[in-house]
Amino acid sequence: YTRRLGRRTIQHSASEPSNQPPLAFVFDIDGVLIRGPKPLDAAKRALAMLEGANPMGIKIPYVLLTNGGGVGEEIRRKRLTKQLGYELSANQYIQCHTVLRSVVDKYADKPVMVLGGKFADCRYVAESYGFKKAYTSLDVHAWNPAVWPFHELGPMERESTKAVDFSQTPISAIFVFHDPRNWALDIQIMCDIIQGGGIIGGAAGNDRKFHDAVEQKPVELIFCNPDLIWRSDFERPRLGQGAFREAFQAVFKALTGAEYPYTQYGKPTQATYKFAEQMLRDHLREMYGPSKALPQMYVAGDNPESDIAGANAAGWESILVHTGVYDPRQGPPTHQPTQEAVDVEVAVRWAIDREL
Ligand code: G3P
Ligand code: MG
């Protein structure tokens, strides 16, 4: 049967719910909804439109998809609810390492190094996903401060550590969950683990044992956010986890002659968008009951390299806003959006006018 909704006649098969709106949104966070700790005024007005203040008076579904992270999803959702003024359900918030929930089984009982974030925050996130032996670079420094002689653990750092003998603990994978706080310490430890075939301080250099160790079961390296830069509340974009990856690879290449192979998650990778689409479908089912077809998807983002590239590859409409990384004065964006908008309120209004 057909139903008019705004300018569209919506074709519904009997099984499709009649009240699912014709569009849904995916919002990036940094540079679109907030900058550093501060929410943008345009963000509150944009969400008000989605929560019902629109020509049809209907709620329009949306999820938040960020390359940020560093704390548990629950903690960040509560923080965002306070900042933005609207309750977010569990299926409405996806951060850069949430996708690791879908791969944790492979590593659940193996010792892994979890890098990034403050103190042991990312260990707790890893454990909440099911990692049972998640260690931090602060644990390594507490085990043997000579690993990096240019750092002294502060009281809160020391308090966050676990007692581990890393000479007996072969690390199977290194996960960079969030942006490392001590790039030098973390890069040193990543090189030690990889060159020691998993053992920090293990067989290094060019002897046979080292090559056998690395060739037999090379340590896996996983990054969760490729952003070279991102927009916080400083007037210029800041270096992101992608910059850390570049720094590590430059050092590793200087040491060994080649960069180290790695797996990349986060926007714009396909794995992250597939995972995000599934969470969006779960959210739509929560709101409207079972439905096969996704509504017309609109993505609002500030970074052409992540938000626009990812949306375009997913086949979703992309709207590039001017409140974050991208600055129109620098010329055309590296990835062509469906539409540009000065801010997220203009972006949402344009999409609603187009669909309703
Ligand atoms: O660390 C966060 C930054 O890389 C970008 O976050 O929300 O703009 O994807 P977001
Ligand atoms: Mg952003």
Side-chain angles (χ1 to χ4, degrees):
Y1 61 96
T2 61
R3 174 171 66 99
R4 275 200 70 69
L5 186 60
R7 69 192 183 96
R8 295 216 163 177
T9 40
I10 312 284
Q11 293 293 340
H12 279 290
S13 62
S15 65
E16 293 283 311
S18 61
N19 59 349
Q20 179 171 300
L23 75 166
F25 280 88
V26 178
F27 289 117
D28 171 44
I29 298 179
D30 290 300
V32 177
L33 301 177
I34 65 173
R35 278 211 288 250
K38 300 173 200 125
L40 277 71
D41 292 340
K44 295 186 174 178
R45 294 193 293 267
L47 294 182
M49 281 191 267
L50 300 183
E51 293 286 346
N54 56 63
M56 304 301 292
I58 56 171
K59 274 175 85 78
I60 297 172
Y62 61 92
V63 295
L64 306 188
L65 174 59
T66 176
N67 272 348
V71 289
E73 280 75 10
E74 183 70 25
I75 295 171
R76 187 78 200 278
R77 270 195 302 124
K78 289 216 166 75
R79 219 178 276 170
L80 284 163
T81 295
K82 258 204 221 106
Q83 285 174 305
L84 299 169
Y86 293 100
E87 189 74 31
L88 288 171
S89 73
N91 287 322
Q92 278 184 285
Y93 177 66
I94 304 129
Q95 55 187 357
C96 67
H97 39 71
T98 311
V99 64
L100 296 182
R101 283 188 178 142
S102 60
V103 300
V104 64
D105 291 349
K106 190 179 156 193
Y107 310 92
D109 299 309
K110 294 179 185 162
V112 298
M113 188 56 59
V114 168
L115 299 180
K118 278 197 308 226
F119 307 120
D121 286 0
C122 287
R123 187 207 317 274
Y124 305 139
V125 181
E127 290 171 344
S128 77
Y129 292 170
F131 290 91
K132 298 193 182 68
K133 296 179 182 168
Y135 301 118
T136 71
S137 50
L138 298 177
D139 295 340
V140 177
H141 198 279
W143 161 67
N144 186 348
V147 154
W148 184 248
F150 306 121
H151 183 67
E152 299 256 318
L153 288 184
M156 287 182 71
E157 287 181 319
R158 183 165 301 285
E159 202 180 303
S160 77
T161 61
K162 274 187 175 175
V164 185
D165 178 356
F166 286 96
S167 66
Q168 310 297 324
T169 309
I171 299 293
S172 69
I174 300 167
F175 288 85
V176 186
F177 265 62
H178 193 244
D179 303 49
R181 271 34 178 192
N182 186 332
W183 286 25
L185 170 68
D186 288 6
I187 287 175
Q188 174 65 74
I189 288 169
M190 288 166 80
C191 295
D192 285 336
I193 292 171
I194 292 169
Q195 291 186 289
I199 292 289
I200 296 171
N206 297 318
D207 64 54
R208 191 68 239 148
K209 218 161 70 171
F210 160 65
H211 285 290
D212 290 352
V214 171
E215 267 137 35
Q216 270 142 28
K217 43 180 182 16
V219 173
E220 288 187 63
L221 177 56
I222 298 100
F223 291 94
C224 293
N225 165 10
D227 286 353
L228 185 64
I229 54 173
W230 64 290
R231 186 65 189 274
S232 184
D233 52 346
F234 189 70
E235 59 262 30
R236 299 284 308 131
R238 302 295 76 196
L239 294 176
Q241 191 184 127
F244 172 74
R245 186 196 67 222
E246 293 298 309
F248 160 72
Q249 291 288 16
V251 168
F252 192 80
K253 185 170 180 184
L255 283 174
T256 65
E259 293 194 355
Y260 194 70
Y262 63 94
T263 302
Q264 181 70 64
Y265 289 114
K267 298 179 288 186
T269 66
Q270 194 188 36
T272 285
Y273 277 81
K274 286 222 160 308
F275 188 84
E277 180 176 319
Q278 189 47 56
M279 285 189 70
L280 175 74
R281 287 182 183 280
D282 295 345
H283 180 55
L284 292 171
R285 195 174 40 254
E286 255 171 34
M287 288 179 78
Y288 306 105
S291 149
K292 276 194 295 299
L294 270 186
Q296 179 56 61
M297 296 302 303
Y298 284 87
V299 173
D302 70 301
N303 188 337
E305 299 301 326
S306 53
D307 304 306
I308 307 307
N312 291 350
W316 297 344
E317 305 284 20
S318 54
I319 309 171
L320 178 59
V321 298
H322 298 170
T323 48
V325 162
Y326 175 66
D327 179 344
R329 291 170 299 185
Q330 288 161 353
T334 46
H335 293 271
Q336 188 55 40
T338 312
Q339 177 75 358
E340 289 192 36
V342 283
D343 62 34
V344 66
E345 178 187 11
V346 172
V348 165
R349 180 166 296 112
W350 173 77
I352 287 178
D353 289 351
R354 203 167 182 246
E355 296 294 335
L356 293 189

